[in-house]
Amino acid sequence: MSVAGLRKQFYKASQMMSEKVGGAEGTKLDEDFKDLERKAEVTSKAISDVLCKTAEYLQPNPASRARLTMLNTMSKMRGQVKSPGYPQAEGLLGECMLKYGRDMGEDTNFGGALVEMGDAMKRLAEVKDSLDIDVKQNFIDPFQTIVDKDLKDIEHHLKKLEGRRLDYDYKKKRQGKIPDEEVRLAAEKFKESKELAETSMQNLLDTDVEQVSQLTALVESQLQFHRQSVEVLEELAQKMRERVNEAESQPRQKRMPASKPNFDCLESEDSDGGWSPSAAPSSHVSTAAHSYNSPSSHQKRRMTDQPCCKALYDFEAENEGELGFYEGDVITLTNQIDENWFEGTVHGQTGLFPCNYVEVMVPLRH
């Protein structure tokens, strides 16, 4: 930084201290400028907050959002062009229904209904993906452009205006000690910055028609999503009604209970006072089984020596690098990626899994 630049920074710092500590008054901006600044500030906050809440509306699960952000970052680091999409709740429900419907058999009434509903849920997930894409292209991206360009320009000009005001006030109060030419130049720069700040804020407020158009695009995307969802659900409801009518029209099959074998003769033959193995106490068997299944004290010590956690729910690995497990599994902890993800090992596999699926038994050592 040049000597003149250092001197200007000193002037601004001195003026700021005299205003905040000494109570000195600086140059007041006119009411029209202050009113414009208030309107621009409210508009800026509205755009930023609406963007944030729209992302939460499209992707309501914070854990899934955090995982998606992490996976997108990992994909970029690996040079992968295609990154995984947000796991829609409708798609996850559809996969569950399809799995159990096929396990039961599509020839059964309940199994076939699960398969049909699972297919419909998968179609709803695709419709929701289309909504995400439309909203991003027609609403989020244009608003993000305003944040990245217009709002940053306003912030830059207001910051520069404040710096030039401090420089001008310092020199104005020291006229005689500072050459008049410097005071005049400082006043011209202050006026120039004020005009640039006013222009940038007015440009933002003048684009309200474009902002309303983008809100209209958001409504149109939602309307299209709900129309397509209604079509899928109406078709599914018709299939479910047909299944109910078909099941009610079929006669219910009668099932005769199977005859139970009579063991009276066996009991009379074995009741001669002799010893029977079946009548022997089985406490030693259960004790042996319990001691076999329960971990030894040495195993328990080993378990508590290393960081580990217990699975509270089943977790199915959906992406490369994730670790799947079942409820009750004890997972060895190797690292904590962030506040939402652990890295661990179980069943000979190593990978990432969400923190809210487990209960930490022995924490990681930092």
Side-chain angles (χ1 to χ4, degrees), residues 49-274:
D49 287 352
V50 167
L51 267 180
C52 179
K53 297 302 180 183
T54 303
E56 294 178 6
Y57 161 72
L58 295 174
Q59 301 175 354
N61 190 328
S64 296
R65 285 202 308 272
R67 177 169 61 181
L68 182 60
T69 302
M70 182 196 68
L71 292 175
N72 287 338
T73 303
M74 293 175 63
S75 298
K76 290 179 182 178
M77 293 172 62
R78 294 171 181 171
Q80 297 174 350
V81 178
K82 187 177 180 181
S83 58
Y86 180 81
Q88 304 293 354
E90 295 86 352
L92 298 176
L93 176 59
E95 290 174 0
C96 175
M97 289 181 168
L98 285 171
K99 175 183 181 300
Y100 288 106
R102 288 164 183 162
D103 289 347
M104 291 180 186
E106 298 184 40
D107 53 337
T108 65
N109 196 25
F110 186 35
L114 280 175
V115 170
E116 288 180 349
M117 192 164 183
D119 286 332
M121 290 294 107
K122 296 283 284 184
R123 289 170 59 191
L124 285 176
E126 293 174 359
V127 174
K128 190 68 178 294
D129 286 335
S130 299
L131 172 67
D132 287 1
I133 294 171
D134 289 344
V135 172
K136 185 177 187 305
Q137 291 176 348
N138 301 320
F139 180 74
I140 292 180
D141 287 349
F143 264 36
Q144 191 64 48
T145 301
I146 295 176
V147 172
D148 294 339
K149 184 179 182 301
D150 297 348
L151 300 189
K152 285 187 177 179
D153 285 348
I154 293 173
E155 183 182 0
H156 168 73
H157 289 308
L158 289 175
K159 185 177 180 181
K160 198 165 188 179
L161 172 64
E162 178 64 11
R164 287 183 170 179
R165 182 194 69 77
L166 291 171
D167 181 62
Y168 168 64
D169 285 343
Y170 180 88
K171 292 175 179 178
K172 181 177 65 172
K173 290 181 179 180
R174 289 161 179 79
Q175 278 183 323
K177 296 181 180 179
I178 294 179
D180 293 342
E181 182 65 18
E182 283 193 32
V183 177
R184 185 185 64 80
L185 287 175
E188 289 180 357
K189 288 183 178 181
F190 170 63
K191 183 179 179 182
E192 178 188 1
S193 291
K194 181 174 178 291
E195 291 175 355
L196 288 173
E198 285 177 332
T199 302
S200 62
M201 291 187 292
Q202 191 62 52
N203 288 339
L204 174 66
L205 298 178
D206 289 342
T207 58
D208 58 346
V209 176
E210 297 177 12
Q211 294 154 12
V212 174
S213 298
Q214 287 147 11
L215 285 174
T216 305
L218 173 62
V219 174
E220 293 291 342
S221 298
Q222 289 177 300
L223 186 59
Q224 180 68 15
F225 161 71
H226 288 294
R227 282 173 179 165
Q228 294 177 347
S229 299
V230 167
E231 292 177 4
V232 173
L233 292 174
E234 284 182 344
E235 180 183 342
L236 175 62
Q238 181 61 31
K239 290 181 179 179
M240 293 296 106
R241 284 192 290 266
E242 291 174 359
R243 280 190 171 275
V244 171
N245 294 334
E246 181 182 356
E248 289 178 346
S249 63
Q250 294 178 355
R252 185 181 298 274
Q253 295 182 354
K254 293 183 179 180
R255 185 178 297 275
M256 298 298 293
S259 58
K260 297 182 179 180
N262 190 354
F263 294 101
D264 291 344
C265 59
L266 297 176
E267 292 176 0
S268 61
E269 290 178 1
D270 292 339
S271 61
D272 56 355

